[in-house]
C-alpha cells in the first residue's frame, strides 16, 4: 500500500482526497518511481477544476516529480533500480508516493541537483526551454515581454533571459514581486495593478514595442499583450491563470499590425527521447553552472496530505516561485 492524492469530481481544493492505494506493477516500457518530491503547477488547478476535464474518476493529479527508480518494466533500457530521476510529462498521478511513468518521459537527475530542485523546476524549465528556445528563439540583446515574471515559470524565464543576454520585461502584481523578478534577472518590471502595461512597454522600448509576448495569464492581459507587439509580432499564449481567452475576433490581429498568435504546449515541443535529452541537457547545464537557481521557500513546501492547503496557497496568488509536496512528510 502507498499514499496518493485523488479526486472524484471536479471542483475546488476541497475535492482532493488523501487515500491509500495499491501501486500496480510497471507495464512494458515503464519504470516505477518512488517519489521524493512532487512539483505543484498551476495547470494542476485547471485539471482539478475541470477547465481541463478528466474523463474517468477517481483520478490522480500531477505530472511532475523527482525520485528513485524502484522497479523497471519489460523492454526498458537506460534505467536501473536506484537511479535518481525526474519527470514532468507523466500521466496524471504524480501526487503520490509511487508512480509508474513511461521511460521515454523520464530523465536522469544529476547528483548536483537535489530531488527538491528537480521537482520544483523540471516542468517549468522545460516550459521556458520550449518558449524561449523553440517557439520563438530569443537572442542576445533582444527585448521581450513576459507576464507573471515572479511566478514559478517566470522566475526561471528571468534567469534564462539573463543567461542569454536578453532583456526581459516582466509583469508582476506587487512591488515585492517586482523585486524578486529583477533579482532573478528581469531587465525591467511593470506592476500591472498600478501601471498600464502597453504604455510602459512603449516607454521602455523607446516606442519600438516588442517582437514577442509570452502570456500565461490569459483573459486579463490579452488586449495589453497585443498592444505591446511590434508589427508582425508574435503573441505566445501558453496559460489561462485569469481565465481562457474566448470569442477572439481574428480581424483584431490585422488591425494591430498583422500579428501572429500561437497557443503552444510542452507536449507539442518535447515529444520523444531525443527532444527530452536535448532540452534536459541544456537546462541541467544552466542549473549546474548556477545560471539558474532553484530555491523553494520553506512555507511553500507541504506534506503530500496537505495538497488542499497547497492548492489554496497557489490560487491565492500569494506564492512566488515553486511549491512542493513531500511524500511521507
Amino acid at each position: 500500500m502507498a499514499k496518493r492524492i485523488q479526486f472524484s469530481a471536479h471542483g475546488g481544493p476541497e475535492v482532493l482526497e488523501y487515500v491509500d492505494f495499491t501501486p500496480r506493477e510497471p507495464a512494458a516500457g515503464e519504470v516505477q518511481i518512488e517519489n521524493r518530491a512532487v512539483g505543484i503547477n498551476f495547470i494542476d488547478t485547471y485539471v482539478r477544476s475541470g477547465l481541463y476535464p478528466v474523463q474517468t474518476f477517481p483520478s490522480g493529479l500531477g505530472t511532475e516529480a523527482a525520485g528513485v527508480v524502484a522497479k523497471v518494466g519489460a523492454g526498458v533500457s537506460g534505467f536501473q533500480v536506484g537511479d535518481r530521476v525526474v519527470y514532468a510529462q507523466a500521466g496524471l498521478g504524480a501526487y503520490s508516493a509511487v508512480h509508474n511513468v513511461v521511460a521515454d518521459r523520464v530523465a536522469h537527475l544529476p547528483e548536483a541537483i537535489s530531488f527538491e530542485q528537480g521537482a520544483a523546476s523540471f516542468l517549468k524549465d522545460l516550459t521556458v526551454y520550449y518558449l524561449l528556445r523553440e517557439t520563438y528563439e530569443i537572442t542576445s540583446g533582444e527585448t521581450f515581454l513576459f507576464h507573471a515574471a515572479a511566478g514559478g515559470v517566470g522566475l526561471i524565464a528571468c534567469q534564462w533571459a539573463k543567461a542569454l543576454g536578453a532583456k526581459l520585461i516582466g509583469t508582476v502584481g506587487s512591488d515585492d514581486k517586482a523585486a524578486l523578478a529583477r533579482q532573478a534577472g528581469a531587465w525591467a518590471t511593470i506592476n500591472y495593478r498600478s501601471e498600464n502595461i502597453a504604455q510602459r512597454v512603449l516607454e521602455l522600448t523607446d516606442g519600438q514595442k516588442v517582437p514577442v509576448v509570452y502570456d500565461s495569464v490569459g483573459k486579463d492581459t490579452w488586449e495589453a499583450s497585443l498592444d505591446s507587439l511590434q508589427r508582425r509580432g508574435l503573441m505566445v499564449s501558453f496559460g489561462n491563470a485569469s481565465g481562457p481567452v474566448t470569442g477572439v475576433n481574428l480581424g483584431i490581429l490585422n488591425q494591430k499590425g498583422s500579428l501572429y498568435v500561437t497557443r503552444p504546449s510542452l507536449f507539442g515541443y518535447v515529444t520523444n527521447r531525443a527532444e527530452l535529452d536535448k532540452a534536459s541537457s541544456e537546462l541541467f547545464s544552466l542549473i549546474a553552472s548556477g545560471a539558474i537557481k532553484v530555491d523553494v521557500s520553506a512555507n511553500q513546501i507541504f506534506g503530500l496530505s496537505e495538497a488542499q492547503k497547497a492548492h489554496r496557497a497557489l490560487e491565492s496568488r500569494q506564492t512566488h516561485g515553486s511549491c512542493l509536496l513531500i511524500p511521507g512528510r
Side-chain angles (χ1 to χ4, degrees):
M1 297 291 287
K3 292 288 190 179
R4 77 167 188 164
I5 296 296
Q6 68 178 34
F7 62 111
S8 298
H10 292 299
E14 69 278 359
V15 303
L16 300 179
E17 305 169 304
Y18 183 57
V19 301
D20 292 310
F21 82 111
T22 301
R24 63 172 174 79
E25 292 296 305
E30 292 183 335
V31 292
Q32 185 173 95
I33 298 168
E34 293 180 354
N35 291 333
R36 301 296 172 83
V38 178
I40 305 172
N41 297 283
F42 214 94
I43 194 172
D44 301 341
T45 71
Y46 299 164
V47 175
R48 187 211 69 223
S49 70
L51 180 61
Y52 295 170
V54 300
Q55 304 303 316
T56 304
F57 291 112
S59 173
L61 189 61
T63 62
E64 175 184 38
V68 175
V69 174
K71 297 180 180 180
V72 177
V76 172
S77 61
F79 293 98
Q80 58 186 8
V81 172
D83 282 354
R84 302 173 78 253
V85 293
V86 63
Y87 59 91
Q89 295 174 287
L92 292 176
Y95 285 23
S96 177
V98 178
H99 194 35
N100 294 340
V101 184
V102 173
D104 281 350
R105 299 294 188 187
V106 179
H108 287 279
L109 186 67
E111 290 288 344
I113 301 173
S114 70
F115 293 120
E116 292 78 12
Q117 288 176 311
S121 69
F122 197 47
L123 180 60
K124 300 172 184 68
D125 287 335
L126 290 175
T127 299
V128 175
Y129 169 82
Y130 88 75
L131 291 172
L132 271 58
R133 309 299 286 152
E134 299 285 349
T135 306
Y136 178 102
E137 188 172 0
I138 296 295
T139 58
S140 179
E142 198 159 30
T143 304
F144 64 99
L145 181 64
F146 202 102
H147 288 290
V153 171
L155 288 174
I156 291 171
C158 290
Q159 296 176 76
W160 208 315
K162 184 177 180 180
L164 292 171
K167 298 178 179 179
L168 181 149
I169 301 172
T171 68
V172 294
S174 70
D175 291 342
D176 287 344
K177 289 191 173 184
L180 284 171
R182 288 195 297 270
Q183 183 179 2
W187 174 69
T189 56
I190 300 171
N191 187 330
Y192 62 80
R193 298 187 190 277
S194 59
E195 298 178 283
N196 181 290
I197 294 172
Q199 183 60 39
R200 282 296 292 141
V201 168
L202 198 66
E203 294 166 358
L204 289 165
T205 60
D206 295 325
Q208 299 300 304
K209 299 188 180 182
V210 294
V212 61
V213 174
Y214 297 98
D215 191 338
S216 62
V217 177
K219 176 171 62 70
D220 288 355
T221 50
W222 170 253
E223 289 280 351
S225 292
L226 297 183
D227 288 339
S228 298
L229 284 166
Q230 297 171 357
R231 180 174 61 90
R232 298 174 62 187
L234 175 64
M235 164 67 168
V236 182
S237 176
F238 69 100
N240 312 284
S242 68
V245 177
T246 59
V248 175
N249 173 12
L250 291 179
I252 199 172
L253 303 179
N254 172 40
Q255 296 164 19
K256 293 181 180 295
S258 296
L259 304 178
Y260 294 87
V261 176
T262 184
R263 183 60 175 87
S265 73
L266 176 60
F267 284 93
Y269 283 87
V270 179
T271 65
N272 55 47
R273 165 58 55 191
E275 290 171 346
L276 179 62
D277 286 346
K278 178 184 176 184
S280 59
S281 175
E282 182 168 350
L283 64 89
F284 286 153
S285 293
L286 288 169
I287 294 174
S289 72
I292 291 179
K293 295 180 173 60
V294 182
D295 297 312
V296 183
S297 299
N299 64 351
Q300 292 178 197
I301 300 177
F302 304 87
L304 182 61
S305 63
E306 298 178 295
Q308 289 188 13
K309 181 180 178 181
H311 272 226
R312 290 190 182 99
L314 187 65
E315 291 181 307
S316 73
R317 302 285 187 92
Q318 298 304 305
T319 62
H320 64 271
S322 301
C323 299
L324 289 175
L325 297 173
I326 306 298
R329 172 171 163 171

